[in-house]
């Protein structure tokens, strides 16, 4: 196993190169390649190309590691390290030309299963704003070379929260009921459309908390480490929907209350 900061350096370097490719492809125009679980769940040609680039770079740098990517699936490794990758998180934003999209790369050890792995290094790069969020376990979370800290005490006006909605319209009523339950503690709620950036913004204190049901492993692997290394809390629970677990990230002063309100 390599030092976590070495894995962080690899993640940041590759995230930047991948993000530059995504931004170039976006400028050339976006082609929808396929839909996945639902008609709203799209994959662009760029998603596939960017994931292929990330995978190729990781094979060059870390040939024995495992890989778990949104577009190309899982491959077991031999080193105990697995890279969990969302090449373009916020694909719908990307397709519509909204700049809130990001490249998310995490290195985890242990079984490549959320809840069982230990995230050791992370990079989330937002190409449109050229912001690179990164973390290594035990070494803090950073935006470029500025150390990040979550907001520990939301203001008296309430917490600035973010959430997301599943692509399956059958889940929307439950998602909206959840928004109604958290609203009394919120000054406002955002739906940014890129989970990796929601986590990064919690880490940076730009949001007080974020929750969503039904995130995939590549949506939260890097973001969770950013939040915990910035002093915040991250947790997941099945509640009534084991196939759509709830994920919550927030400063420690808010976490328990937000978790209790969002879980059903
Ligand atoms: C999606 C985004 C969105 C979240 C969805 C994710 P994708 O990822 O992060 O904000 O609400 O749950 O699936 O499909 O754009 O990579």
């Amino acid at each position: 196993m390599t030092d976590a900061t070495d894995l962080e350096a690899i993640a940041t370097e590759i995230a930047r190169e991948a993000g530059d490719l995504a931004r170039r492809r976006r400028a050339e125009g976006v082609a929808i390649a396929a839909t996945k679980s639902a008609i709203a769940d799209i994959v662009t040609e760029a998603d596939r190309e960017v994931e292929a680039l990330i995978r190729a770079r990781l094979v060059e740098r870390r040939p024995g590691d495992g890989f778990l990517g949104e577009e190309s699936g899982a491959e077991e490794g031999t080193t105990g390290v697995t890279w969990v990758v969302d090449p373009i998180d916020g694909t719908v934003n990307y397709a519509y030309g909204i700049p809130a999209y990001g490249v998310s790369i995490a290195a985890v050890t242990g079984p490549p299963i959320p809840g069982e792995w230990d995230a050791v290094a992370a990079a989330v790069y937002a190409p449109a704003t050229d912001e690179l969020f990164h973390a290594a376990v035990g070494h803090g979370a950073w935006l470029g070379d500025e150390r990040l800290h979550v907001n520990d005490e939301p203001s008296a006006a309430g917490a600035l929260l973010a959430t997301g909605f599943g692509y399956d319209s059958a889940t929307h009523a439950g998602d909206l009921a959840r928004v109604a339950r958290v609203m009394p503690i919120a000054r406002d709620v955002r739906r940014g459309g890129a989970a990796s950036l929601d986590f990064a913004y919690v880490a940076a204190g730009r949001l007080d908390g974020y929750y969503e049901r039904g995130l995939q492993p590549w949506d939260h692997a890097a973001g969770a480490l950013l939040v915990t290394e910035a002093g915040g809390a991250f947790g997941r629970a099945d509640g009534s929907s084991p196939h759509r677990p709830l994920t919550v990230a927030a400063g420690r002063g808010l976490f328990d209350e937000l978790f209790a309100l969002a879980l059903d």
Side-chain angles (χ1 to χ4, degrees):
M1 232 288 274
T2 320
D3 188 69
T5 54
D6 292 339
L7 298 176
E8 178 189 24
I10 292 170
T12 55
E13 200 180 295
I14 297 176
R16 192 179 278 285
E17 184 186 356
D20 290 344
L21 175 61
R23 188 177 45 222
R24 273 201 316 279
R25 291 291 179 259
R26 174 61 246 182
E28 290 162 4
V30 170
I32 308 298
T35 58
K36 296 191 285 187
S37 60
I39 196 163
D41 191 2
I42 53 171
V43 48
T44 67
E45 297 286 0
D47 281 283
R48 291 178 174 169
E49 189 185 356
V50 173
E51 183 158 315
L53 172 78
I54 295 170
R55 200 164 180 166
R57 291 289 181 265
L58 287 171
V59 168
E60 286 161 21
R61 304 287 296 272
R62 302 268 316 171
D65 290 353
F67 186 84
L68 176 61
E70 176 168 24
E71 309 308 336
S72 59
E75 187 177 312
E76 251 178 67
T78 53
T79 60
V81 174
T82 301
W83 295 90
V84 186
V85 169
D86 193 342
I88 300 179
D89 178 44
T91 308
V92 175
N93 284 345
Y94 184 76
Y96 274 75
I98 295 171
Y101 64 92
V103 176
S104 178
I105 301 179
V108 306
T109 58
I113 300 170
E116 295 184 32
W117 70 41
D118 291 309
V120 290
V124 171
Y125 180 53
T129 51
D130 191 25
E131 289 185 309
L132 181 55
F133 301 86
H134 55 101
V137 65
H139 294 272
W142 304 80
L143 169 53
D145 51 17
E146 174 201 340
R147 185 137 192 187
L148 299 179
H149 302 281
V150 296
N151 266 349
D152 259 326
E153 295 301 333
S155 87
L160 184 61
L161 300 177
T163 190
F165 306 119
Y167 289 126
D168 177 1
S169 56
T171 62
H172 290 165
D175 289 340
L176 292 174
R178 212 163 292 113
V179 171
R181 287 203 306 277
V182 305
M183 217 54 207
I185 64 162
R187 71 188 300 158
D188 208 342
V189 175
R190 302 283 180 263
R191 195 291 187 249
S196 60
L197 295 182
D198 291 325
F199 287 113
Y201 289 4
V202 171
R206 295 177 184 177
L207 289 169
D208 296 310
Y210 163 64
Y211 71 92
E212 180 166 348
R213 260 200 186 274
L215 289 181
Q216 299 297 322
W218 40 82
D219 294 322
H220 62 75
L225 187 66
L226 292 176
V227 170
T228 53
E229 284 298 318
F234 169 89
R236 284 162 62 79
D238 286 351
S240 60
S241 304
H243 61 290
R244 274 185 94 221
L246 173 72
T247 301
V248 179
R252 290 177 188 280
L254 172 69
F255 182 83
D256 288 345
E257 191 179 11
L258 179 58
F259 204 101
L261 288 170
L263 188 62
D264 50 4

